[in-house]
Amino acid sequence: GAKVIVTPKAGKGTGMVEKAKELSEKHGWFLCHQFETEANWKFHYDTTGPEICNDLKSIGSDLDYYVTGYGTGGTFHGTGKYIKEKSPETKIILAEPGAANLIGSGIKTDRNDDGSPAGSHPAFAAHPIQGWTPDFIPLVLEQGLGLQDEMVEIPDGAGVETSQALARNEGILTGISGGATMWAAIETAKKAPEGSVIVAMLPDTGERYLSTPLFASIDADMNGEELDIARSTPSWILDP
């Protein structure tokens, strides 16, 4: 029964937030304020962080690196805060698109009184990692900055390519953001000491991306090679 209200591309993420606020005020609806509320990061502090640390403890393993990107910043902030308290030596790697290196720019987001963005960030440019890095630095993210030990910029196309490689080679069907996180984890592994333990979460399934560039190279109909296979035996051949 949910209704999906789509805002114009020109408004970017700030337009989406502004429209949601307008609609909530007009109709008396509840506005989550997921980019500003402390409940966001605190949930991950209470759940995601302990889950990671407890699972590693159960197998007698330390955590050397935790790698993540950001959307609202809740996972990074809450999970990172818990991990740093329990394992101060763990290095936290925070990734963002190279085309939209908002944190890397060093420029803060202007805010309204409620913490929401007052305008689009000057370092933002369109990028293909859906769910990551809106055109502002969320307050939830900003309040957690300093937990990270290193920033990694994701090149254009790396998220899609890595996601496709995970499906093809590992049987893991994740989204574009999952591919971007794994790319950052692989780059981290290249520099990490041998035997390091690296945690990177891939929280989204590729099934949500069927109409995106992730699957743009896959035709709905059989290609020539597939038709040749179908024709290699006599029965039930679906010719175009």
Side-chain angles (χ1 to χ4, degrees), residues 31-214:
L31 184 63
C32 294
H33 282 290
Q34 70 267 32
F35 295 104
E36 295 88 41
T37 179
E38 289 187 344
N40 184 338
W41 70 261
K42 286 182 176 180
F43 184 84
H44 292 284
Y45 180 88
D46 291 337
T47 59
T48 314
E51 180 179 356
I52 291 171
C53 291
N54 291 338
D55 282 355
L56 289 172
K57 184 179 179 180
S58 70
I59 59 173
S61 176
D62 294 326
L63 175 57
D64 298 303
Y65 297 89
Y66 172 61
V67 182
T68 184
Y70 69 87
T72 65
T75 303
F76 156 72
H77 183 167
T79 306
K81 182 176 175 64
Y82 184 90
I83 287 173
K84 281 293 189 181
E85 289 179 3
K86 300 300 180 181
S87 178
E89 67 280 4
T90 298
K91 288 182 169 36
I92 296 179
I93 313 300
L94 182 60
E96 65 179 353
N101 60 335
L102 275 58
I103 299 172
S105 73
I107 302 171
K108 291 188 175 182
T109 284
D110 293 329
R111 302 194 184 282
N112 299 313
D113 291 341
D114 62 359
S116 62
S120 187
H121 196 285
F124 180 83
H127 61 85
I129 308 175
Q130 297 183 15
W132 269 26
T133 313
D135 67 315
F136 56 91
I137 298 174
L139 184 62
V140 170
L141 171 68
E142 182 179 283
Q143 292 172 339
L145 291 178
L147 291 168
Q148 78 275 16
D149 296 277
E150 183 181 341
M151 292 293 305
V152 174
E153 292 185 8
I154 310 296
D156 278 356
V160 170
E161 292 170 5
T162 306
S163 179
Q164 291 172 342
L166 283 169
R168 185 183 305 111
N169 302 326
E170 306 296 338
I172 298 172
L173 185 62
T174 188
I176 299 172
S177 57
T181 301
M182 181 57 72
W183 187 91
I186 291 170
E187 292 302 303
T188 299
K190 291 177 181 178
K191 301 182 294 183
E194 185 174 352
S196 294
V197 175
I198 302 171
V199 168
M201 297 194 312
L202 312 181
D204 207 359
T205 172
E207 292 177 351
R208 298 178 180 176
Y209 294 80
L210 296 176
S211 62
T212 73
L214 183 57

Side-chain angles (χ1 to χ4, degrees), residues 8-27:
K9 181 179 179 180
K12 296 175 275 191
T14 49
M16 171 193 69
V17 171
E18 182 179 352
K19 186 66 173 181
K21 184 178 180 181
E22 283 182 354
L23 289 170
S24 69
E25 292 173 349
K26 170 72 174 179
H27 301 285

